[in-house]
């Protein structure tokens, strides 16, 4: 009796890329959504504070992130929209949207870091309170919220980079819908002759009910 050697089943070459695609998709969705939420939340918080000299003493002033710059919030919204749009396009279109997502994150980081030391918003408030257009804010200090917004931008940037690298492995919206929004008509099942056994077997292979029930 001849020896029988068991041949191991080769692993699918697509298993690795598919697994990488699922992992990158999960990380991109989480980081993108979280990054946009963090950036939007941070821009509503107090970024800087100081005082303005007025008759009889000083007047406390504060500036929120939206007072300092509206760029991080706007780019966070653009990034969130791009994150959703990644799944609505394919091929080169997906690369363009992924690049927009990455650029939105990078822009959020830069704008937030630049706004961390900005005093123009408080200077304007000091001039308005004191009635002196040349007045400047005193006792200026800043909070950590600009850097929180920058962290949110970094998460958006990460989502964009993952989309650029692994986006081709991610699923897209159902191809059943045309670009104009119309639904593709379903293909009618082939006619089955009950008197022809080969027709019955072909219908079963196609997943159809040959009885027509």
């Amino acid at each position: 009796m001849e020896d029988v050697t068991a041949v191991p089943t080769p692993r699918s070459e697509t298993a690795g890329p598919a697994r990488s695609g699922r992992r990158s998709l999960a990380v991109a969705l989480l980081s993108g959504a979280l990054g946009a939420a963090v950036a939007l939340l941070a821009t509503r918080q107090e970024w800087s504070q100081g005082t303005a000299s007025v008759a009889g003493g000083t007047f406390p002033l504060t500036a929120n992130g939206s007072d300092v710059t509206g760029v991080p919030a706007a780019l966070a919204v653009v990034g969130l929209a791009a994150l959703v749009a990644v799944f609505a396009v394919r091929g080169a279109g997906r690369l363009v949207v992924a690049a927009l997502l990455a650029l939105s994150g990078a822009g959020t980081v830069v704008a937030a870091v630049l706004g961390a030391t900005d005093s123009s918003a408080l200077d304007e408030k000091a001039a308005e309170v004191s009635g002196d257009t040349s007045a400047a804010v005193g006792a200026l200090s800043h909070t950590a919220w600009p850097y929180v917004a920058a962290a949110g931008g970094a998460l958006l940037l990460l989502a964009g980079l993952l989309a650029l690298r692994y986006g081709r492995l991610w699923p897209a919206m159902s191809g059943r819908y045309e670009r104009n929004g119309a639904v593709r008509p379903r293909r009618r099942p082939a006619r089955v002759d009950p008197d022809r056994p080969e027709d019955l077997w072909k219908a079963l292979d196609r997943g159809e009910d040959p009885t027509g029930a």
Side-chain angles (χ1 to χ4, degrees), residues 16-30 162 166 170:
R19 185 163 49 249
S20 298
R22 289 192 298 268
R23 290 177 180 175
S24 61
L25 173 59
V27 174
L29 286 175
L30 178 61
L162 288 173
Y166 298 101
W170 295 353

Side-chain angles (χ1 to χ4, degrees), residues 31-32 98 101-107 109 151-163:
S31 61
L101 174 58
L103 290 175
S104 299
V109 173
L155 290 174
L156 281 171
L157 175 59
L158 173 61
L161 294 177
L162 288 173

